[in-house]
Amino acid sequence: MSGGATMQTLSYPSRQFPGPPAVAVDIPQAWSPVRVPGTLIAARSTSTDGSFAPNIVIRGFTRSGRFTIGRALAELQQFVSQQPDGEVEPPFEVEIDGVPFVGVNVSWTDQTVGDVVQAHLFAGARRGQVVDLIQVTGSVGGEHAEAAYPQVQQVMQTVRVTR
């Protein structure tokens, strides 16, 4: 540019353009972090016998300001309804570390794994004209699904979302 025009610097994250929320979770000693494309955080149990490993995956999405958690639940329900024996339980509300979440439990039968059971937690926060959505998914499957579910639930209850 010429003529001595001054430039304004915009940065991200900043006061004008705040970033999405930060997320943390506590995992047991017998779990380890896993890199999974499209996730903020992922971890799985390492004490399995080669079958489906109990795991937790945390994803973050930025959606338009009109997006609602109800729409996220509808998208999940659509996916589960296309799975063999897909079931979606009624949504519930839970507060974890001061953050309100909407949760739902789902299940289906996988050809390779057998029964898959997932707990999903959704938290949303407006940021200007967008909505930041955090989705926490805990999964168990196979013959040890029922025994592993309480541990996955316990891990999910340690999720902390901060701005």
Side-chain angles (χ1 to χ4, degrees):
M1 297 186 79
S2 61
T6 60
M7 302 288 283
Q8 179 181 6
T9 300
L10 301 177
S11 62
Y12 176 86
S14 66
R15 186 172 180 187
Q16 292 126 330
F17 300 100
V23 182
V25 65
D26 299 327
I27 61 172
Q29 290 284 11
W31 284 45
S32 66
V34 180
R35 290 190 173 244
V36 177
T39 67
L40 302 175
I41 297 173
R44 65 183 290 279
S45 173
T46 54
S47 60
T48 61
D49 57 4
S51 61
F52 189 94
N55 65 79
I56 185 170
V57 174
I58 303 174
R59 291 181 172 87
F61 306 96
T62 301
R63 301 285 183 105
S64 74
R66 294 178 305 223
F67 190 82
T68 64
I69 289 179
R71 188 162 159 202
L73 292 170
E75 289 174 1
L76 177 62
Q77 183 167 4
Q78 182 180 2
F79 167 78
V80 174
S81 70
Q82 295 172 359
Q83 306 307 309
D85 305 319
E87 292 185 28
V88 178
E89 293 183 5
F92 59 89
E93 295 180 8
V94 63
E95 187 173 301
I96 301 173
D97 199 37
V99 174
F101 285 87
V102 174
V104 65
N105 296 314
V106 302
S107 63
W108 67 86
T109 303
D110 181 88
Q111 208 171 25
T112 306
V113 175
D115 291 336
V116 174
V117 179
Q118 291 184 331
H120 293 263
L121 298 175
F122 296 92
R126 296 217 175 272
R127 179 171 45 107
Q129 304 211 349
V130 299
V131 172
D132 289 317
L133 181 70
I134 299 294
Q135 179 180 1
V136 181
T137 304
S139 302
V140 296
E143 61 189 53
H144 303 295
E146 192 173 327
Y149 190 76
Q151 185 180 45
V152 168
Q153 264 191 325
Q154 189 176 27
V155 170
M156 292 177 74
Q157 291 172 7
T158 71
V159 168
R160 295 173 303 284
V161 179
T162 55
R163 286 213 158 265

